[in-house]
Amino acid sequence: MADLINLLPEHVANQIAAGEVVERPASIVKELMENSVDAGASRIQVIIKDSGKTLVQVIDDGCGMSETDARMCFERHATSKIGKTEDLFDIRTMGFRGEAMAAIASVTNIEMSTRKIDNELGTHIIISGSVVDVQEPTSCAPGTNIAVKNLFFNTPVRRKFLKSDATEMNHIVEAFQRVALAHPDVAMSLTHNGATIHNLSGGKIFNRIVELVGKNMEKKLLPVEVETTVVNIRGYVGKAEVARTTPGDQFFFVNNRYMKHPRFQKAVAKAFENILPAGKIPIYFLYLTVDANSIDVNIHPQKTDIHFENESAIWTIIYASVREAVGKFNVAPSLDFSIENPIEIPTIKATDPVKSPHIDYNPNYNPFDVAASRFNSERGASSGQMRAANPVKDWQKLYAGLQTEPVAEITTDVEPVQTTLGLEFDEKTTQINGSVPAEFDGTVNKFFNLKGKYILTQVKSGLMIINQRRAKELITYNQLMNGQNLNVEASQQLLYPERIDINQRDIEVFREIIPELESMGFAVSDLGNGCFSISAVPAIFKGSISEWISNVMYLHTESYLSMAAELRKTLAESLAKYLSSGFEGPMSVEAMAELNNQLFACPNPTLTPSGKKVMEILDVDAIDKLLK
């Protein structure tokens, strides 16, 4: 029998490694920038064309490479960062696996020029799909200039799965910002198709944060700083007023390396407990410094998932330090001493005599003797002595004006509603009411509203319960998808246009969704430098425009949808959920009947666009079991 196991060719092994290391253009930006940082660069330039699909170029003024190193860096498992096993437990550089350059070269065309500062000539190399086409001496500036072209040119299937240019550029800016925040002392710039996105000068952490997220955050960041034997923490958290409804601007760094750590994220969220409303996510930029021997950064090819030896202790320290910062620097109510008749706070002087406390009580008091209550009722209220409250007479008067509202009526000549579920509403529906008023005359009602949240109605099989907010969400979604309220005529002009400041990371994504926003009734103007003006919104829109737009961009970026039709679906789903968020409260029978009719006109009235139940039917057998 022939042997089945073969050794993979080198270029195939490299392409497999590329699948782990090079997920998208942003992965190349991250690896090349980190190499520049490790080379001791004081300035790094990142040049992007066509969202990295055509070109990712990184130029630095670092130490550069010799002719041999320039060739060796593209070999698999070739690295200058480690030499023995023990080095894996004392990682102090960004890259160390020795896979990145070989993996990138296997799926791209690479052109690199590099020179050490003490060499007269540098080295010029051209590689296509792991094959070295050119290696020759060249005259170039000290440092390294590497251009990665035509990503996935030899693996078209992977290129096809890249997202839209705007989304890929969003990921590139995000990768750039992570490296820039981790190394604020290095000057960095980012350009896309000739337009400058970031031009950062080297400096302190606070200045780098403000440069990246905007000057409007300058007075909204609270400093965090703590030193312990386990971990040192420094950085900033945003005030409650700048918290977001979607993830974004939440950064953890350990030993100047960006990391993801869901458990530590919960520590920050816990610190903001009872400060932020439900659903809000705090902004933070936290830098942890620990002993390199106490962490493991080698558990993921992207090196963003990190294990800590003292994870529980660090969790507690993060929570305590953030909580202290929020409590120390947040604005708290203060006493106003300018008011007349201020509260008098009694003081005791050292010369005042000390009196023993005196307790007055009735030794004959019997709590079961009604007559004993006279003991207190006959004493003055100012004496501060315990008094038993007299029984309240005519207590019914306390509830005057709170009589049960009359139940709305609906005539029985309404035609039964035939639903897409094959259900038929019973014309002779019995009254369902928790508190039937005395004047109730027995008139039957088709619908009943429970706690302003649910609509109850009888069907042939039993009792149907409709979640009125989710029903409204589904109805609105179908109206949007069917073209209702999606034209400019359905818009309403705002008295004062609302200004929206978009993070540089999200500008391309926002520009991509503008045409669909306009088709839904929004009027958007680009003011430049990430500023946009909204002068009109759909007539049905209520609430915060910036909050909803932020949520839409997050959903669009995180999904794998780029076609216009899918974008429209995402917008409609998000807008429907947003518009129905406050659709709770009592409803008249007529309103419930109209909502019911609209619901069952939808293609699938049982589930929201996100797959949550809109209704549930309790059949008679289930109700019988509940009442056994």
Side-chain angles (χ1 to χ4, degrees), residues 286-596:
L286 297 177
Y287 296 75
L288 282 61
T289 302
V290 300
D291 187 343
N293 293 315
S294 68
I295 60 174
D296 183 4
V297 300
N298 196 32
I299 60 176
H300 190 276
Q302 297 292 334
K303 301 184 287 291
T304 56
D305 298 331
I306 298 176
H307 281 173
F308 288 78
E309 183 180 343
N310 302 306
E311 188 169 295
S312 296
I314 295 175
W315 190 100
T316 304
I317 295 170
I318 291 173
Y319 165 75
S321 60
V322 173
R323 189 74 177 178
E324 180 186 15
V326 173
K328 182 178 180 181
F329 295 100
N330 252 358
V331 177
S334 59
L335 294 175
D336 186 355
F337 294 99
S338 64
I339 60 174
E340 296 182 2
N341 301 321
I343 300 174
E344 294 184 3
I345 302 176
T347 60
I348 299 177
K349 298 179 181 179
T351 56
D352 291 345
V354 178
K355 297 180 180 179
S356 299
H358 175 70
I359 300 175
D360 191 7
Y361 66 96
N362 178 12
N364 299 318
Y365 174 69
N366 182 355
F368 300 101
D369 185 359
V370 177
S373 62
R374 296 175 184 174
F375 169 78
N376 289 320
S377 62
E378 293 172 357
R379 292 178 175 269
S382 62
S383 64
Q385 300 164 351
M386 180 179 67
R387 302 198 319 167
N390 293 324
V392 179
K393 297 181 179 180
D394 299 326
W395 58 269
Q396 294 87 347
K397 293 181 180 180
L398 296 175
Y399 295 88
L402 297 178
Q403 292 89 348
T404 304
E405 294 180 4
V407 178
E409 300 179 359
I410 185 169
T411 57
T412 57
D413 58 353
V414 177
E415 296 182 2
V417 180
Q418 185 68 35
T419 76
T420 57
L421 297 177
L423 302 172
E424 186 174 315
F425 292 98
D426 195 338
E427 290 186 14
K428 298 180 180 180
T429 305
T430 57
Q431 169 74 21
I432 307 173
N433 201 320
S435 55
V436 182
E439 65 270 20
F440 177 66
D441 61 3
T443 305
V444 295
N445 294 282
K446 188 175 291 292
F447 299 101
F448 171 75
N449 190 252
L450 177 63
K451 298 290 186 180
K453 294 182 177 181
Y454 302 100
I455 297 172
L456 311 183
T457 186
Q458 179 176 314
V459 293
K460 279 193 171 182
S461 58
L463 178 68
M464 182 166 67
I465 306 172
I466 300 173
N467 184 308
Q468 68 186 51
R469 184 192 61 76
R470 292 180 182 176
K472 181 64 175 178
E473 177 184 343
L474 179 59
I475 292 166
T476 305
Y477 171 78
N478 280 278
Q479 289 175 342
L480 293 169
M481 289 301 292
N482 291 334
Q484 301 179 39
N485 295 324
L486 293 182
N487 49 59
V488 178
E489 287 72 23
S491 297
Q492 61 179 7
Q493 293 292 320
L494 298 177
L495 184 60
Y496 300 103
E498 183 167 336
R499 172 173 164 165
I500 306 293
D501 293 315
I502 304 296
N503 190 299
Q504 289 289 341
R505 179 183 63 237
D506 301 323
I507 285 179
E508 293 300 324
V509 174
F510 184 67
R511 285 177 177 152
E512 186 178 65
I513 68 175
I514 285 178
E516 286 300 328
L517 288 174
E518 291 176 339
S519 73
M520 300 180 81
F522 290 89
V524 185
S525 301
D526 190 344
L527 305 179
N529 296 323
C531 298
F532 296 83
S533 173
I534 310 293
S535 57
V537 297
I540 59 174
F541 189 90
K542 305 293 180 186
S544 170
I545 300 173
S546 58
E547 186 175 299
W548 177 72
I549 286 178
S550 175
N551 184 59
V552 168
M553 289 193 297
Y554 172 72
L555 292 175
H556 181 54
T557 303
E558 291 301 310
S559 68
Y560 288 89
L561 308 174
S562 57
M563 297 172 57
E566 296 294 351
L567 173 59
R568 189 183 192 87
K569 180 177 179 294
T570 301
L571 284 167
E573 180 178 338
S574 178
L575 183 57
K577 186 173 184 178
Y578 187 82
L579 294 176
S580 62
S581 60
F583 193 74
E584 292 182 348
M587 297 180 67
S588 66
V589 173
E590 291 78 7
M592 289 187 285
E594 176 63 21
L595 187 74
N596 180 80

